[in-house]
Amino acid sequence: MTASSPPPLADLLHAAVTAVGGTERPGQVAMAEAVAEAIGDNSHLLAQAGTGTGKSLGYLVPALAHGERVVIATATLALQRQLVERDLPRTVDALHPLLRRRPEFAMLKGRSNYLCLHRLHEGVPQEDAESGEAGLFDPFEAAEPTSKLGKDLLRMRDWADETETGDRDDLTPGVSDRAWSQVSVSSRECLGASKCAYGAECFAEAARERAKLAEVVVTNHALLAIDAIEGAPVLPSHEVLIVDEAHELVSRVTGVASGELTPGQVNRAVRRAAKLVNEKAADALQTAAETFERLMELALPGRLEGIPEDLGYALMALRDASRTVISALGATRDASVQDEDAVRKQALASVENIHQVAERIVDSSEYDVVWYERHDRFGASLRVAPLSVSGLLREKLFEDRSVVLTSATLKLGGDFNGVAASLGLSPEGVQGADGEEDAPPPWKGLDVGSPFDYSKQGILYVAKHLAQPGREGSRSDMLDELAELVEAAGGRTLGLFSSMRAAQAAAEELRGRLDMPILLQGEETLGELIRTFAADARTCLFGTLSLWQGVDVPGPNCQLVVMDRVPFPRPDDPLMSARQKAVEEAGGNGFMAVAATHAALLMAQGAGRLVRASGDRGVVAVLDPRVERARYGSFLRKSMPDFWYTTDRNQVRRSLAAIDAVAKKAQA
């Protein structure tokens, strides 16, 4: 090796794996080589890497060897922390002697994730007095508070003197969203470092400066979406993007690209602006808000395929009145309002959001979906979301940089095409012609497998004898089957349900039948539930969506994963049904492209909860006969790990009992 040539990738990977105390795996090596190739020729890669592959090092090593700035975007806080607190420090230390440099790394999140010193020291703007938020700490001169909120605010004041990051996730124990909102601001509400008295000490600005100097920047999908969509760069320039947990990206980008209007939100904007603009402008916005609120009281949940006339007039009034207020906020100042800059900025942010969403819905783009929702606590809301984000991602994500997308679940039904289409990419092996305008960018797909022997470590059992689940009503046969399986397993069960109502019904039923603890999502914090579940072999944990993807319990305490039914999106889900209809109108199979793909992704993630280590054994039981009987059943099965497959209920009970006996013997 000459002085100028980079060290061989194999040497770098070996050094990194040794440093973290692991062993090299063929899949990890293949992934690292493919990532290095994609970075080297500025191409795009979809890499499926099963549990236990060590995919973090599979992309970190070639990223660090590259030598130019790399942005890594993840979906979950847990992975962000793992990368910044464990994987990156160890990998950088291990590669330093070989690279002859020490790459810097940093984490960057949205502004509202960092404590705002201006908010902390100057207090919440007084316009929020009507909402019960003013004077909660102003400026901490009151007697010792007795409420939890007051105590949390005082604790955050003390924490502000100790923390180096101001990052909410570094505050232990954490605080409620309401408490955090008292000491944080959105990017729209921020005064800006040059105008803020605390700009030189700002935690969010410090995080941005660290990111500008870092070779590796770890962020989240939401900030990546904001950077791509809003046109105002929040991430430093970079020529390589790595998206981990990439199966979540479309959902996160859709969330960022969506808008919402509620009566409470509009009324809050009115209150914030009222003291800062002339009476005529304030009255017009107030009148528009009252009209909108009356309409929303009558709103029924569901999609609006056309905007009703009365709603259209109400939204135009909101749009026009908010535009007038925005102009007035820029032209007037009120010296009687203490700390007016902060109050004005908050009011402007609120009114601009009202204007933006109202105008978007009035414009009625064919590429948007509009619908009403109703919530027990918050009443009605009017929502708008993009019909698809594939074109947006194609244009904003894949131009001018190499993109690597990786996850344990990118191949659905045996190929990458479903995920690729959602990202704006062409089917595998089909590339746009050279020079073709708006052609999907070329990419490669790679499945590096898993070090686990799924066919020997796990069983996929489908209860084909059960009745097909309907939309409503109790499934007594399913509950009988569930109770028998849990009893055979001796507990050790993670129950994944398609709705909270189903999880609650199952927990209530089994608590009455079985002498073992049944934990239910919502009865304690998720972290505490998972810790309790992992600590006691006889315990079961039942819940819904977040458990399908968020549980990592290796060992004998999770040996049965049960899915009550195929997790199709609700038939009345406005966005999903609109996307399905659009595919059908274009000549495609809307059910397979949207509903089945959605279900397959969740089932793949859910099945992945079973085998988390090389010694794990167990059963994934799907209590929905459609996975065996329906034509789409094979698509769902191919999306899950390659477990040994059976529909024999007696065989599964014997297997569970044998696994339970071995686990008890080992723990004795």
Side-chain angles (χ1 to χ4, degrees):
M1 182 179 73
T2 66
S4 60
S5 63
L9 182 63
D11 293 352
L12 295 173
L13 186 61
H14 177 75
V17 171
T18 302
V20 300
T23 56
E24 286 183 41
R25 303 179 176 101
Q28 185 183 56
V29 174
M31 179 176 177
E33 290 172 347
V35 172
E37 181 180 341
I39 293 174
D41 60 19
N42 197 36
S43 62
H44 308 307
L45 173 70
L46 271 63
Q48 175 161 293
T51 305
T53 302
K55 64 181 167 67
S56 296
L57 287 185
Y59 61 71
L60 281 181
V61 171
L64 290 169
H66 173 56
E68 301 292 336
R69 182 179 289 120
V70 175
V71 168
I72 300 171
T74 75
T76 60
L77 171 63
L79 184 53
Q80 288 178 57
R81 280 183 170 171
Q82 176 187 315
L83 288 171
V84 172
E85 296 176 7
R86 191 182 74 186
D87 293 349
L88 272 166
R90 293 180 184 179
T91 306
V92 166
D93 286 345
L95 300 189
H96 177 221
L98 294 168
L99 294 175
R100 299 190 181 95
R101 57 184 172 82
R102 183 177 291 277
E104 295 291 326
F105 55 89
M107 184 186 289
L108 185 61
K109 302 177 182 178
R111 190 171 291 274
S112 61
N113 290 279
Y114 300 97
L115 182 143
C116 172
L117 292 170
H118 185 277
R119 267 279 178 107
L120 183 76
H121 294 299
E122 304 301 330
V124 177
Q126 291 300 304
E127 63 80 19
D128 274 338
E130 294 177 35
S131 63
E133 294 179 354
L136 292 173
F137 63 108
D138 190 26
F140 298 104
E141 292 177 354
E144 186 73 19
T146 56
S147 70
K148 184 178 187 306
L149 182 60
K151 290 177 180 177
D152 280 343
L153 292 170
L154 284 176
R155 181 160 63 87
M156 286 190 287
R157 180 192 63 178
D158 294 337
W159 175 69
D161 294 330
E162 304 166 2
T163 178
E164 295 182 2
T165 66
D167 186 334
R168 178 180 182 177
D169 296 317
D170 292 340
L171 176 62
T172 306
V175 296
S176 67
D177 289 345
R178 186 185 177 199
W180 186 255
S181 71
Q182 308 300 298
V183 297
S184 65
V185 295
S186 68
S187 58
R188 281 184 169 180
E189 295 171 323
C190 175
L191 294 173
S194 62
K195 294 182 179 180
C196 179
Y198 303 92
E201 309 162 69
C202 176
F203 291 116
E205 290 297 322
R208 285 196 175 195
E209 289 304 312
R210 286 193 296 271
K212 287 178 183 177
L213 298 173
E215 191 173 303
V216 177
V217 179
V218 178
T219 188
N220 53 57
H221 290 180
L223 198 62
L224 175 65
I226 291 168
D227 183 76
I229 292 168
E230 298 193 351
V234 292
L235 295 172
S237 61
H238 53 282
E239 57 180 52
V240 178
L241 169 65
I242 297 172
V243 183
D244 203 342
E245 301 171 307
H247 62 278
E248 288 276 11
L249 183 62
V250 168
S251 174
R252 302 300 170 99
V253 172
T254 299
V256 169
S258 299
E260 181 179 34
L261 282 178
T262 68
Q265 179 189 37
V266 174
N267 289 329
R268 190 157 53 248
V270 172
R271 288 197 306 271
R272 288 174 171 172
K275 297 178 182 178
L276 300 171
V277 300
N278 62 73
E279 186 175 347
K280 182 179 179 182
D283 286 349
L285 187 58
Q286 176 71 54
T287 300
E290 290 171 354
T291 302
F292 178 70
E293 185 168 14
R294 284 196 298 271
L295 277 176
M296 294 300 285
E297 288 173 355
L298 304 173
L300 298 175
R303 182 185 178 189
L304 301 175
E305 298 208 36
I307 304 301
E309 188 176 23
D310 53 356
L311 178 61
Y313 284 132
L315 290 173
M316 285 189 281
L318 270 182
R319 177 198 61 190
D320 296 343
S322 58
R323 184 193 296 124
T324 301
V325 168
I326 290 168
S327 298
L329 282 169
T332 62
R333 302 187 69 81
D334 186 348
S336 67
V337 179
Q338 189 177 21
D339 195 19
E340 194 212 20
D341 277 347
V343 176
R344 181 179 297 277
K345 194 74 173 180
Q346 187 181 59
L348 190 60
S350 294
V351 180
E352 283 178 338
N353 183 63
I354 302 302
H355 177 266
Q356 183 181 47
V357 178
E359 184 173 54
R360 179 177 173 183
I361 296 174
V362 166
D363 286 348
S364 299
S365 167
E366 63 180 305
Y367 302 110
D368 272 341
V369 180
V370 181
W371 72 95
Y372 284 127
E373 281 186 4
R374 292 205 73 88
H375 310 274
D376 293 339
R377 287 185 60 192
F378 307 111
S381 66
L382 179 63
R383 296 183 60 84
V384 57
L387 181 62
S388 169
V389 295
S390 59
L392 184 68
L393 288 171
R394 178 192 302 179
E395 178 188 352
K396 302 292 188 180
L397 205 69
F398 294 99
E399 290 188 356
D400 304 322
R401 56 185 167 187
S402 172
V403 182
V404 174
L405 301 111
T406 184
S407 166
T409 47
L410 289 180
K411 288 179 73 173
L412 301 177
D415 61 49
F416 291 101
N417 290 337
V419 170
S422 70
L423 296 167
L425 301 173
S426 59
E428 196 168 4
V430 179
Q431 309 297 351
D434 291 343
E436 180 184 341
E437 188 176 348
D438 199 33
W443 60 279
K444 294 179 181 178
L446 173 69
D447 181 2
V448 302
S450 168
F452 304 141
D453 189 344
Y454 286 121
S455 63
K456 292 183 179 178
Q457 290 184 247
I459 297 171
L460 172 60
Y461 163 61
V462 174
K464 73 171 185 178
H465 61 281
L466 297 179
Q468 181 169 311
R471 290 190 183 183
E472 302 293 340
S474 172
R475 296 181 62 199
S476 57
D477 60 342
M478 185 276 290
L479 293 173
D480 290 341
E481 181 81 8
L482 175 62
E484 291 176 15
L485 290 170
V486 171
E487 191 167 29
R492 312 178 192 278
T493 301
L494 176 64
L496 305 176
F497 293 83
S498 55
S499 70
M500 203 61 231
R501 181 182 300 177
Q504 290 166 345
E508 181 180 349
E509 180 72 19
L510 265 64
R511 282 168 176 170
R513 291 196 195 193
L514 304 177
D515 182 23
M516 55 185 65
I518 309 289
L519 307 177
L520 178 63
Q521 185 178 352
E523 294 183 346
E524 182 55 81
T525 65
L526 192 57
E528 185 59 33
L529 287 171
I530 293 172
R531 281 191 291 273
T532 304
F533 174 57
D536 180 9
R538 286 181 53 75
T539 298
C540 302
L541 172 57
F542 290 179
T544 185
L545 191 58
S546 55
L547 293 186
W548 288 73
Q549 304 186 69
V551 179
D552 183 11
V553 180
N557 290 9
C558 180
Q559 295 188 317
L560 173 61
V561 174
V562 178
M563 304 177 196
D564 70 323
R565 61 192 296 166
V566 177
F568 291 124
R570 295 192 332 268
D572 60 350
D573 183 303
L575 186 55
M576 288 294 195
S577 58
R579 287 176 170 175
Q580 188 166 322
K581 182 179 179 182
V583 173
E584 290 165 357
E585 289 176 347
N589 186 324
F591 172 77
M592 291 301 296
V594 179
T597 295
H598 171 87
L601 180 57
L602 273 178
M603 294 182 78
Q605 286 286 314
R609 302 311 97 202
L610 181 69
V611 176
R612 310 297 296 178
S614 58
D616 288 354
R617 301 286 187 276
V619 172
V620 171
V622 183
L623 308 186
D624 186 335
R626 292 175 295 181
V627 177
E628 165 65 19
R629 296 178 187 167
R631 281 193 292 179
Y632 55 78
S634 61
F635 174 80
L636 299 177
R637 296 197 302 271
K638 286 179 183 177
S639 302
M640 291 189 275
D642 188 23
F643 296 128
W644 186 75
Y645 178 63
T646 186
T647 59
D648 187 335
R649 58 192 304 199
N650 294 321
Q651 174 63 54
V652 165
R653 281 157 182 70
R654 288 194 296 270
S655 297
L656 283 170
I659 292 169
D660 179 43
V662 170
K664 286 177 178 176
K665 185 176 180 181
Q667 291 175 329

